[in-house]
Amino acid sequence: SIHLDDELVPFYDIRLLESGNEKQTTDSHLSSLTDDLFKAAAAAPATLARSTSAGPRAPNLPERRLPDRSKSSTETGPTIQAPTAPKSRFMENQVVYYSSNGQKEKAKILSIHLDDELVPFYDIRLLESGNEKQTTDSHLSSLTDDLFKAAAAAPATLARSTSAGPRAPNLPERRLPDRSKSSTETGPTIQAPTAPKSRFMENQVVYY
C-alpha cells in the first residue's frame, strides 16, 4: 500500500518476494523493473564510442582466401544453412504473468531451455505458492502486456462511448462568483498544498 507522511511525501508498505518479509520504505530504495533496461540502452552508444576510439587496434591477420564462386552448385554441392534458434521473449529472473485454466498469477523465470526443435521453454517459480514448474511461451505474458492492450483499446472504447452513449442531461446554469470585488473585501485566496504524485502503484512489482 501507499501512504503520505506529514509533508505529503509518499512512502510504501512492501513485501520482499524471495523472503516474504514485509517492511516500510521510500522512493529512494525502489526502482521499476524496466529502469535497468533503459539505463543499459542509454549507456550503450557511449560504451561503443569509447571502445572504438580508445580500444586496442586489431592485430594483422593473415589474408583469408575466399572460395571460388565460379564453380556451379552441382560441383561444390548445395549450401546447407544451419537452423536459427527462435529468440525468447523473456529473460532469466524476469517476473511475468503465468496463465493456466483461466487463472493468472505472477511467476519468476528461473532458467530458459530449448527443446529438440529449438523452441524455448521455461523453469518458473510461482510467487504466491512457491511451486516450481516448466511451461512454454503460450502460458506467459509480460507484466506490461495488459497496459499496452488497454492503451490500444482505449481509442476504440472512447469512440463507441461518444457515438452511441447517452447524452448528458441538461444541468442547471451555474452562477459564477463576482470577480469584481477586491481581495480585501472577499479575503485572500488560499491554495491547498498539492501532494506529490507517487512513481509507483499498489500491487506493482519493483526492485528494492
Side-chain angles (χ1 to χ4, degrees):
S1 56
I2 303 174
H3 313 280
L4 295 177
D5 62 16
D6 295 338
E7 297 180 356
L8 301 182
V9 176
F11 64 98
Y12 310 88
D13 294 331
I14 64 171
R15 178 186 296 122
L16 303 180
L17 297 181
E18 292 294 334
S19 63
N21 295 336
E22 296 184 359
K23 57 176 63 184
Q24 283 189 340
T25 188
T26 59
D27 259 317
S28 60
H29 293 282
L30 302 179
S31 62
S32 169
L33 297 181
T34 56
D35 284 352
D36 292 342
L37 297 178
F38 290 133
K39 290 178 182 177
T47 304
L48 179 60
R50 287 197 300 271
S51 63
T52 54
S53 62
R57 298 183 60 184
N60 293 326
L61 300 177
E63 182 179 357
R64 183 180 179 186
R65 189 172 182 181
L66 298 177
D68 185 2
R69 299 297 185 187
S70 62
K71 295 181 180 180
S72 66
S73 61
T74 55
E75 297 177 15
T76 59
T79 302
I80 300 176
Q81 186 174 4
T84 303
K87 187 176 181 181
S88 171
R89 297 190 298 129
F90 307 103
M91 301 180 296
E92 291 186 358
N93 297 318
Q94 181 177 353
V95 176
V96 296
Y97 282 125
Y98 169 73
S99 301
S100 179
N101 298 324
Q103 301 293 323
K104 180 184 287 189
E105 57 183 307
K106 291 177 181 177
K108 183 178 181 179
I109 295 178
L110 303 177
S111 55
I112 303 174
H113 313 280
L114 295 177
D115 63 15
D116 295 338
E117 298 180 356
L118 301 181
V119 175
F121 64 98
Y122 309 87
D123 293 332
I124 64 172
R125 178 188 296 121
L126 303 179
L127 297 183
E128 291 292 332
S129 63
N131 295 335
E132 296 184 4
K133 58 176 61 186
Q134 285 189 338
T135 188
T136 59
D137 261 316
S138 60
H139 291 281
L140 301 180
S141 62
S142 169
L143 297 181
T144 56
D145 282 352
D146 291 342
L147 297 178
F148 290 133
K149 290 178 182 178
T157 305
L158 180 60
R160 288 196 299 269
S161 64
T162 53
S163 60
R167 297 184 62 182
N170 292 326
L171 300 176
E173 183 179 358
R174 182 180 179 186
R175 187 172 183 182
L176 299 177
D178 185 2
R179 300 296 185 186
S180 62
K181 295 182 179 180
S182 65
S183 60
T184 55
E185 298 177 16
T186 59
T189 302
I190 300 175
Q191 186 174 5
T194 303
K197 188 175 181 181
S198 171
R199 296 191 298 129
F200 307 102
M201 300 180 295
E202 292 185 359
N203 296 320
Q204 181 179 353
V205 176
V206 296
Y207 285 120
Y208 170 70

